Amino acid sequence: PVTISNVTTTSRHGVVVFQAYLADSDAETAAKNALERGNLSGVSDYVKVMQAGDTLTKTANGDLGKAGDFVASIGSAIDAAEDGSEIVLLKSVSYGERIDVRNSVTLNLNTNTFSSTNTNAMLVYPNKVLRLKNGNLVNTVGNGVFVYKDGTVYVENDVTINTEGSGVTGTNNKGDVGNAKMYIYGTIISNYIAVFVQGPCNTVVIDGAHIESNYWTLYQNGSYGGSTFNIENSTLEDKSEGGAGIY
């Protein structure tokens, strides 16, 4: 991390920080050459100009940073994250591949938007926890977060999930899966089933949330029982003619 405070600079640029990892070495060379010429236009993906008082804690091609490292994309950031890590989104990004959450992490959207074009934007692995906070998750073709057997997701109160498919869903309609845990405190807007729960023995907590759907707002597949639902201080609104708030 680099912290600058109480500093006066007289140079053209206060501080220039190059990314630690660049996928394209030619791009790095171009960025350095541009810096030598004193012209940083067009190379903002490769350098960050900092002024006095700025704090640089995380960066990644202008996209993401994890624990002070520099990484290339939201996918590689989460792949590299260890249990308990927090990943911070530094600007809004689009990503077409599914992100597999294999370790328990917090994705701090940092008031930005993560846009996905995958069937499932994110998949939480068994016994792992994904915590979303402070921003937007959008999927124009599919689901927001799929929680697999024994996985957990938290949608904090400063998060909005807007999806063509389900906002949060899990697990599968099988007796040997289930036990997913979904804690929803934010906003979900879905053009399908907003919170779609399958399998036995799931836990769903909806508190202080606003959830909109265009089929069912909260749906638990009836083939299996044992699930627990706690809903309070929330608004559940289904806009379709054939659906309902809770099934």
Side-chain angles (χ1 to χ4, degrees), residues 14-15 28 116 147 241:
V15 178
E28 181 179 11
S116 174
V147 185
E241 294 183 1

Side-chain angles (χ1 to χ4, degrees), residues 3-4 10 43 67 76-77 98 135 140 153 163 170 198-199 213-215 232:
T3 301
I4 301 175
T10 57
V43 296
S76 58
R98 187 184 76 191
T140 56
V153 62
T163 56
Q198 301 189 79
S213 63
N214 200 29
Y215 188 36
E232 55 185 328

Side-chain angles (χ1 to χ4, degrees), residues 90-108:
L90 296 184
K91 69 176 184 181
S92 296
V93 294
S94 298
Y95 197 69
E97 298 181 25
R98 187 184 76 191
I99 295 176
D100 292 340
V101 181
R102 296 183 173 89
N103 287 313
S104 296
V105 298
T106 296
L107 177 56
N108 183 352

Side-chain angles (χ1 to χ4, degrees), residues 22-23 31 33 38 122 124 151 155 158 174 189 201 210 216 219 222 242:
L22 290 174
N33 290 340
M122 309 185 77
V124 183
V155 180
D158 51 7
K174 298 180 180 179
I189 302 172
C201 302
H210 178 80
W216 303 92
Y219 185 107

Side-chain angles (χ1 to χ4, degrees), residues 203-240:
T203 299
V204 178
V205 175
I206 300 174
D207 191 353
H210 178 80
I211 303 177
E212 298 179 16
S213 63
N214 200 29
Y215 188 36
W216 303 92
T217 305
L218 170 61
Y219 185 107
Q220 164 70 56
N221 188 290
S223 300
Y224 300 98
S227 293
T228 300
F229 299 87
N230 184 1
I231 306 169
E232 55 185 328
N233 305 316
S234 300
T235 302
L236 280 64
E237 179 182 2
D238 183 70
K239 297 183 177 181
S240 70

